[in-house]
Amino acid sequence: MDPFLKATWLISAGLAAFSIVVALYLALRRVAEDFFNARQETKRQKIKSVLFDVIDQRVTQDDARELLKKYSQINLLDVAGPLRRTLKGNGLNSLDTLLNSLIDIDELLDRMAEGSTSVRAALYADMTWVDDRRVYLAATQALHDPAPQVVLAAAYALAETRTGLSIQTAWMRMTRDDMIGHLGVRQLFRKLAKTQSKAIRGMLYVGDRIALLAADALANSNDFECISDLSALAAEHGSADVRAACVRALGELQHPSGSAAINSALSDPSWTVRTQAAIAASRLGLNDSIDILAALLSDEFWWVRFRAAESLAQLGPEGLAALKNAVRSNANSDVGSLVLRELS
Amino acid sequence: MSEYYAIIRNLMARSIEWLGESSAVVLETLSGASIFLRATQFGDTTVLIAVTVAWLIFINGIVLNALYTVQFLLGYKALRRRGRVKDSLSAWWRFHRQTLPICLIVPAYNEEETVADNVRSLLALHYPEFEIVIVNDGSQDGTLEVLRKAFDLKPAVRAYDPVLEHAAIRGFYKADNYPKLLVIDKENGGKADALNAGINVARSPLVCAVDADSILESDALLRAVQPFVEDFDHIIAVGGSIRVANGCQVRHGRVTSIGLPTDALSLFQIVEYFRAFLIARLGWSELGAMMLISGAFGIFKRSILMQVGGYSRDMVGEDMEIIVKMHRVMGERDNDYKMMFVPEPVCWTIAPTRLRDLGGQRKRWERGSLESFFKHRDMMGRSEYGVAGSIGYANILITDVIGPPLEVLGYITMPILYGLGMLNLDFFLAYLAITFVYGVFLSVGSLILAEMQLRRYPKAWHLLVLTAAAILENFGYRQINNWWRVVGWVEFVRGKGGWGKIRRSAFERG
């Protein structure tokens, strides 16, 4: 037979036969795994039952330790991790005390260092029960991990601890190119902003992407001292996205000292900034901006018209009257009339 | 002609001499010399045509298999990197605070039998913030009435920016008890038209196109949105897996028990969907050359859909065309973007169980592919469209445009040539190997990938039955499929449009 044609035959038939053998092997493996998983599930149910008894203080810690010591750490952590998320108060404290006395930290550290990406991320995400300094050091090291999900899991866990995660560390580790667009990073900065808003203010002046992250975080901070920074940037920053983020933050903070900046932003050349300013105006209840908002009902951009109409409708009787007037007198106020009907 | 043939033979001989001994075997084979037994009894012209056709078919088979193998390897790599799938609860804890609001757009045309159950299943999705927009596309049955009664809908007003063109909207309906639900009643304009109306009305940054006769897994949105969470700046579209629900039990719009159908046609489609999603979509998504996100389930950035002008209303394959159009617009603007396929989020659909219905569906899919291919053919090979313009477009050319006619031509001509004694047994066997046997490897291989990484079916015997189906589908089913695609080609050339009617069985109630 011609070698080329023979090779074609052999490769096709060989691969087909190989794939069938592998499929049959996987089916057999599945039978074995189903059996194994059923046993694991029984074990997990037993562990869960003991843990519930500990949480409800139906058994002592010593008795629970005795009952659980025959089970593997993997099983124990698999059950305890999800359970912890649903608990707080004394129940959580009892469970954490038990885990600290049962889990071999060296083994845990090994898995944190050598596990697959998803295993590492899961272990760091669930590590807040550990009362051992070595685990926190490992989490700090994990902030250098190449996998973003491991870095985020470790950062979230560190942020939960007493010593916490400093904004400078988060800034250095989270703003690398493959992480800055992660919405989890945005969430982390929002969390950190509640306690470290002063440090976040400094980030407003770095680069556009970091400034966006900082403005978003400050919006959730209740730090009214940042209003002057946000107001200045809302007026002067070269990027429309950053100006819009600052205006949004001023609206979320709902402090009267931000009203001047919001009023000015209603006339910003960028439609995204005007849209955010319209939303912010109603959040602050800025009745002195009613005239500008009414003028925005004729804006060339639909979203500006829509948000201006919504804001007017939310600014009490005065705003509503202005919206009705504008709709009556302005034939172009299509959105205004629709918003009026939608809200009614 | 005999002179022409002599020249070719001469050239072949010189090439063999020039390339040396090692290439001689291949070139001699390619010259046709070794594939013909009694070539002399036929005229030179006949032989020349036979040589050309036989080798064209053979090379097409090899190229197609090479392409599928590359997809298979890329899919394998992607699945390996993703690791094991987390359970729903873990996914919720990890992502629920980071997600973005989504608007599900569900075009419905004559769906009175299933629409209420499907809306209930959508309302029960596990996702922090979403809105469901059902677009009644001028149904001629009682779709709207069923919805009005089931959810106590009342006429409502909704302000929206009519950026995208669509048929006139007759009215909006909302339900006091279901604040997430909005129903648009509009004139009939087709699926693309209905989707455009939904996109206009949506107010969230992400929109999800869902078929009204499909069922989403409760955590499908949460899983599908992960690429947006991880890289919101660059991801513009994400597609999820479609699974065949035939044989599964469905209760209150949810798949409660996963099973296998008893008919061969549905079993073959299960394997086919694995191949399409776990090999093709996942593989090309790895390279950034994914040219299709299924119309049954895809999530898009609303702003990008607006920028590309929404779905093209005059096309049958609107789901493929929107993706090609997104590649085009992003490429022309030199934007850095990604479209991803995520295998875990699942959308269940009922596959046709009658040959005629399946044929109608496949002919329509082929027409859709050809429409998109020819409409944007100027993208092919142009550097500004990057991988999509080169690899993505070449893939459509080979698998959808050239592939089916050549495969069908092979089914007819190769046995005839062999029967006439023009083809030797070695060549004929090699042809059978690349056309039938290699397909077994690809079909069973996709099952193996699914089993190793995703565990799509709960029982070991499911895997055994599907393995049998994966082997058998290469001997008859795939060939019929290619025949339908050739008919689709003919219909495309004749300018046939429209969706036609496909009768699907209802979900099996549990």
Side-chain angles (χ1 to χ4, degrees):
Chain A
M1 193 177 190
D2 186 288
F4 174 67
L5 299 177
K6 195 174 175 182
T8 310
W9 235 114
L10 283 176
I11 291 170
S12 302
L15 284 174
F18 175 70
S19 63
I20 292 168
V21 170
V22 173
L24 293 176
Y25 160 74
L26 288 175
L28 281 174
R29 195 182 76 171
R30 178 72 87 85
V31 173
E33 278 184 8
D34 284 350
F35 176 71
F36 177 75
N37 286 342
R39 289 187 59 184
Q40 291 292 317
E41 189 52 37
T42 312
K43 278 184 192 171
R44 275 196 282 267
Q45 288 305 327
K46 284 180 182 165
I47 292 171
K48 198 181 265 182
S49 155
V50 176
L51 293 183
F52 274 126
D53 285 345
V54 171
I55 292 160
D56 294 339
Q57 297 181 341
R58 283 195 293 262
V59 295
T60 64
Q61 294 269 335
D62 288 339
D63 290 343
R65 263 194 296 278
E66 201 55 39
L67 287 167
L68 293 172
K69 69 180 181 190
K70 61 182 169 186
Y71 298 109
S72 75
Q73 296 206 23
I74 297 170
N75 278 337
L76 203 53
L77 287 174
D78 276 354
V79 178
L83 193 58
R84 284 189 75 257
R85 296 191 198 113
T86 61
L87 296 171
K88 53 186 174 185
N90 288 339
L92 184 61
N93 291 339
S94 301
L95 183 58
D96 286 356
T97 309
L98 180 70
L99 286 175
N100 274 300
S101 61
L102 271 171
I103 299 293
D104 178 353
I105 298 296
D106 290 326
E107 195 183 322
L108 181 68
L109 285 167
D110 285 346
R111 290 186 70 205
M112 281 176 160
E114 290 159 17
S116 66
T117 302
S118 54
V119 166
R120 293 200 315 275
L123 286 173
Y124 285 117
D126 283 336
M127 62 164 247
T128 48
W129 56 269
V130 185
D131 190 15
D132 191 299
R133 204 167 157 269
R134 286 173 296 164
V135 173
Y136 291 94
L137 282 174
T140 313
Q141 286 298 314
L143 294 175
H144 298 266
D145 198 286
Q149 63 263 49
V150 176
V151 179
L152 265 174
Y156 271 100
L158 286 170
E160 293 282 336
T161 61
R162 263 169 292 164
T163 43
L165 174 71
S166 79
I167 207 78
Q168 283 81 7
T169 310
W171 182 354
M172 280 166 69
R173 303 287 165 235
M174 310 284 145
T175 51
R176 65 191 210 200
D177 279 349
D178 64 337
M179 287 197 72
I180 194 163
H182 200 301
L183 298 183
V185 173
R186 190 176 77 176
Q187 197 63 34
L188 180 74
F189 275 85
R190 284 179 183 175
K191 191 182 174 80
L192 296 175
K194 294 202 165 76
T195 51
Q196 302 178 63
S197 61
K198 201 173 172 185
I200 289 186
R201 265 184 264 158
M203 290 168 62
L204 284 169
Y205 299 95
V206 187
D208 287 2
R209 297 188 80 186
I210 295 174
L212 279 172
L213 200 61
D216 177 80
L218 289 169
N220 298 272
S221 68
N222 287 329
D223 169 20
F224 301 128
E225 285 178 28
C226 68
I227 287 176
S228 56
D229 293 283
L230 290 170
S231 298
L233 290 171
E236 294 160 8
H237 203 283
S239 156
D241 288 343
V242 176
R243 293 203 304 279
C246 291
V247 172
R248 194 186 81 80
L250 290 170
E252 293 290 321
L253 288 166
Q254 294 184 30
H255 195 271
S257 56
S259 53
I262 291 169
N263 265 328
S264 308
L266 286 168
S267 312
D268 193 281
S270 161
W271 71 272
T272 52
V273 181
R274 294 201 297 279
T275 306
Q276 288 302 332
I279 298 169
S282 73
R283 282 187 163 270
L284 264 80
L286 296 183
N287 279 24
D288 54 338
S289 64
I290 283 175
D291 290 342
I292 315 175
L293 284 169
L296 288 180
L297 291 174
S298 309
D299 196 282
E300 62 174 311
F301 290 93
W302 187 87
W303 280 102
V304 180
R305 299 202 296 277
F306 174 65
R307 293 300 181 198
E310 257 191 351
S311 292
L312 283 170
Q314 286 160 7
L315 280 172
E318 221 178 310
L320 202 57
L323 177 59
K324 285 177 181 170
N325 268 339
V327 169
R328 265 197 301 271
S329 60
N330 185 356
N332 293 330
S333 189
D334 52 335
V335 181
S337 75
L338 277 172
V339 167
L340 267 178
R341 285 169 56 202
E342 190 177 330
L343 292 173
S344 67
Chain B
M1 186 56 79
S2 60
E3 278 175 26
Y4 174 62
Y5 186 60
I7 292 168
I8 290 179
R9 273 190 173 281
N10 193 21
L11 274 175
M12 291 287 186
R14 279 194 189 184
S15 304
I16 291 165
E17 200 179 310
W18 180 59
L19 286 167
E21 283 292 312
S22 59
S23 310
V25 176
V26 175
L27 277 170
E28 191 190 350
T29 310
L30 289 173
S31 74
S34 69
I35 68 168
F36 293 93
L37 287 177
R38 300 193 300 274
T40 46
Q41 77 180 63
F42 300 95
D44 280 353
T45 312
T46 315
V47 170
L48 186 62
I49 292 169
V51 170
T52 313
V53 169
W55 275 107
L56 209 59
I57 290 162
F58 193 82
I59 290 166
N60 174 61
I62 287 184
V63 170
L64 276 173
N65 284 342
L67 207 61
Y68 293 141
T69 308
V70 170
Q71 290 175 8
F72 178 82
L73 294 173
L74 288 168
Y76 173 73
K77 186 183 151 208
L79 281 173
R80 289 279 296 182
R81 201 185 50 236
R82 290 186 69 78
R84 292 261 173 175
V85 182
K86 277 192 152 302
D87 61 283
S88 294
L89 195 62
S90 303
W92 171 264
W93 281 106
R94 198 166 139 195
F95 288 104
H96 79 282
R97 287 200 188 90
Q98 302 165 8
T99 55
L100 291 157
I102 292 184
C103 177
L104 289 111
I105 303 171
V106 190
Y109 178 71
N110 293 348
E111 306 276 0
E112 64 178 6
E113 280 182 29
T114 54
V115 73
D117 263 359
N118 289 344
V119 171
R120 278 191 198 101
S121 86
L122 292 175
L123 284 165
L125 285 173
H126 296 169
Y127 194 78
E129 200 179 339
F130 65 99
E131 183 182 34
I132 300 163
V133 175
I134 308 291
V135 189
N136 176 43
D137 190 33
S139 295
Q140 288 162 355
D141 66 353
T143 301
L144 186 62
E145 265 318 297
V146 166
L147 285 169
R148 282 168 79 157
K149 275 186 192 159
F151 301 100
D152 195 19
L153 296 175
K154 294 187 176 96
V157 175
R158 170 89 159 203
Y160 70 97
D161 189 9
V163 175
L164 307 177
E165 283 186 18
H166 53 76
I169 289 178
R170 296 178 194 141
F172 295 98
Y173 296 88
K174 287 212 73 156
D176 291 339
N177 295 333
Y178 303 95
K180 287 177 177 170
L181 179 63
L182 173 77
V183 175
I184 303 174
D185 181 32
K186 66 180 273 292
E187 303 284 346
N188 179 257
K191 189 181 171 188
D193 191 83
L195 285 166
N196 282 349
I199 296 164
N200 274 344
V201 167
R203 287 177 184 166
S204 49
L206 301 177
V207 294
C208 176
V210 186
D211 274 356
D213 57 359
S214 304
I215 290 178
L216 288 187
E217 292 261 290
S218 58
D219 62 357
L221 283 184
L222 200 62
R223 291 183 185 282
V225 87
Q226 285 178 23
F228 287 104
V229 169
E230 285 163 7
D231 190 4
F232 188 69
D233 296 343
H234 298 110
I235 302 288
I236 60 170
V238 170
S241 285
I242 311 295
R243 278 180 74 176
V244 175
N246 303 32
C248 299
Q249 287 198 337
V250 175
R251 194 170 181 157
H252 303 310
R254 282 210 178 174
V255 174
T256 51
S257 165
I258 296 174
L260 287 180
T262 46
D263 64 303
L265 205 57
S266 305
L267 279 170
F268 292 153
Q269 288 177 84
I270 291 176
V271 176
E272 195 184 14
Y273 274 54
F274 276 144
R275 245 167 56 159
F277 287 95
L278 287 185
I279 294 187
R281 305 280 162 83
L282 194 56
W284 293 135
S285 152
E286 271 295 284
L287 287 185
M290 188 169 62
M291 304 301 268
L292 172 63
I293 285 178
S294 170
F297 180 41
I299 302 183
F300 303 88
K301 262 188 189 163
R302 181 179 176 272
S303 58
I304 303 290
L305 287 177
M306 289 289 194
Q307 285 171 36
V308 303
Y311 288 87
S312 299
R313 297 189 298 161
D314 54 344
M315 303 201 60
V316 178
E318 82 293 328
D319 50 357
M320 184 177 199
E321 204 267 342
I322 191 84
I323 302 300
V324 178
K325 202 156 61 171
M326 285 166 104
H327 279 300
R328 171 185 278 277
V329 173
M330 293 291 117
E332 281 165 3
R333 293 180 186 172
D334 202 18
N335 284 355
D336 194 6
Y337 70 99
K338 282 186 213 161
M339 291 193 228
M340 300 277 289
F341 173 78
V342 188
E344 293 93 352
V346 165
C347 172
W348 295 94
T349 189
I350 287 288
T353 48
R354 295 192 315 172
L355 271 176
R356 186 201 284 182
D357 296 329
L358 184 64
Q361 183 193 53
R362 298 311 157 95
K363 288 177 218 167
R364 178 165 55 77
W365 285 1
E366 179 66 17
R367 292 203 310 272
S369 299
L370 294 172
E371 271 182 344
S372 301
F373 178 83
F374 286 107
K375 186 175 177 185
H376 298 280
R377 61 186 178 279
D378 57 317
M379 282 174 69
M380 190 157 59
R382 296 254 302 268
S383 59
E384 64 257 48
Y385 303 114
V387 188
S390 51
I391 296 174
Y393 236 89
N395 178 46
I396 304 178
L397 175 72
I398 294 166
T399 54
D400 293 331
V401 182
I402 299 172
L406 279 179
E407 280 214 47
V408 171
L409 188 68
Y411 306 150
I412 299 164
T413 54
M414 296 302 242
I416 292 174
L417 288 177
Y418 178 68
L420 289 172
M422 293 177 78
L423 220 60
N424 75 21
L425 185 64
D426 292 357
F427 189 87
F428 189 59
L429 286 177
Y431 164 74
L432 292 179
I434 58 162
T435 310
F436 296 89
V437 183
Y438 200 84
V440 171
F441 159 64
L442 292 168
S443 303
V444 179
S446 63
L447 267 186
I448 292 171
L449 285 194
E451 171 62 15
M452 282 168 71
Q453 299 297 329
L454 301 168
R455 290 287 163 97
R456 288 288 163 95
Y457 281 87
K459 307 277 182 206
W461 69 264
H462 289 156
L463 193 60
L464 289 174
V465 173
L466 288 173
T467 306
I471 297 167
L472 293 174
E473 69 130 6
N474 290 282
F475 305 96
Y477 176 76
R478 242 187 60 204
Q479 289 70 31
I480 297 173
N481 240 311
N482 276 322
W483 169 248
W484 285 324
R485 294 176 77 184
V486 171
V487 177
W489 234 118
V490 175
E491 287 177 354
F492 170 73
V493 173
R494 286 183 177 167
K496 182 179 173 181
W499 277 55
K501 277 189 179 174
I502 293 175
R503 207 187 76 176
R504 286 187 168 100
S505 316
F507 287 107
E508 224 170 90
R509 313 273 152 183

